[in-house]
Amino acid sequence: DVKVTQSSRYLVKRTGEKVFLECVQDMDHENMFWYRQDPGLGLRLIYFSYDVKMKEKGDIPEGYSVSREKKERFSLILESASTNQTSMYLCASSGGLPGTGELFFGEGSRLTVL
Amino acid sequence: AQSVSQHNHHVILSEAASLELGCNYSYGGTVNLFWYVQYPGQHLQLLLKYFSGDPLVKGIKGFEAEFIKSKFSFNLRKPSVQWSDTAEYFCAVNAGRGSTLGRLYFGRGTQLTVWP
């Protein structure tokens, strides 16, 4: 059974702090994604990666960066957190050709920026 | 960029009522289509998907969806809902080519509340 684990379920940070959100998957998936989920807006893609050390911008990359040093791990970084980054962050992974496989999601990390 | 429209933000039904949730997308080429569900307090999970073949696809828990290419639609249906179907439902589309390869575009979601 695929498992996508996000390191923190709940975080509270102050404006300007650097925030790391970690995601690990255990199914040797090539593709990994970071979304943010906001009420009434659905899921919006922040960044994605199809391979180690590879990253692509999604639809809302501003204020975020990512790191994929190992195949199983995909980290989302907020260099200087702002209140408008308060949100639920979802990590997902999929195998095979991008777009053809089921996305497996983590439980989510709810970030509050004060 | 692609867009995915879910017509209903919140749907409230009684148990045993029939359900249809609308989903339309903007891309005109070959698409892969998905419905995901998020039960309260749980992670998103796949309900069903369509890649090709029979446009009527069946998923888990009695859900089905019909792909109508001419209408750019992929509506989700269930003949008789249960209280346990209370959840948020997301339609997602992947164009499967070019720079958007692999990206899933999600609709804004429909919250379904089923009263017992």
Side-chain angles (χ1 to χ4, degrees), chain B residues 35-51:
Chain B
W35 276 97
Y36 282 84
V37 60
Q38 188 171 32
Y39 297 103
Q42 296 188 25
H43 61 274
L44 274 150
Q45 56 188 283
L46 183 68
L47 201 54
L48 47 78
K49 62 185 178 184
Y50 172 80
F51 288 172

Side-chain angles (χ1 to χ4, degrees), chain A residues 3 5-6 37 41 44-45 54 56 68 72 83 114:
Chain A
K3 193 169 180 66
T5 304
Q6 295 185 228
Q37 182 180 14
L41 296 179
R44 293 179 291 168
L45 182 63
M54 175 270 177
E56 290 279 350
R68 193 162 181 203
E72 67 272 17
T83 54
L114 302 176

Side-chain angles (χ1 to χ4, degrees), chain B residues 4 8 17 26 35 48 65 73 91 101 107 110 114:
Chain B
V4 181
N8 309 100
S26 62
W35 276 97
L48 47 78
S73 70
C91 180
L101 180 68
T110 298
V114 180

Side-chain angles (χ1 to χ4, degrees), chain B residues 44-102:
Chain B
L44 274 150
Q45 56 188 283
L46 183 68
L47 201 54
L48 47 78
K49 62 185 178 184
Y50 172 80
F51 288 172
S52 63
D54 188 345
L56 185 63
V57 292
K58 296 192 184 298
I60 60 172
K61 303 188 180 184
F63 285 91
E64 64 180 30
E66 185 175 13
F67 170 53
I68 303 179
K69 189 174 182 179
S70 61
K71 294 185 178 180
F72 301 92
S73 70
F74 189 55
N75 292 354
L76 181 71
R77 300 197 291 247
K78 187 171 184 179
S80 176
V81 294
Q82 300 173 313
W83 175 79
S84 58
D85 293 325
T86 294
E88 191 159 18
Y89 293 81
F90 294 91
C91 180
V93 176
N94 169 249
R97 58 184 292 175
S99 62
T100 63
L101 180 68

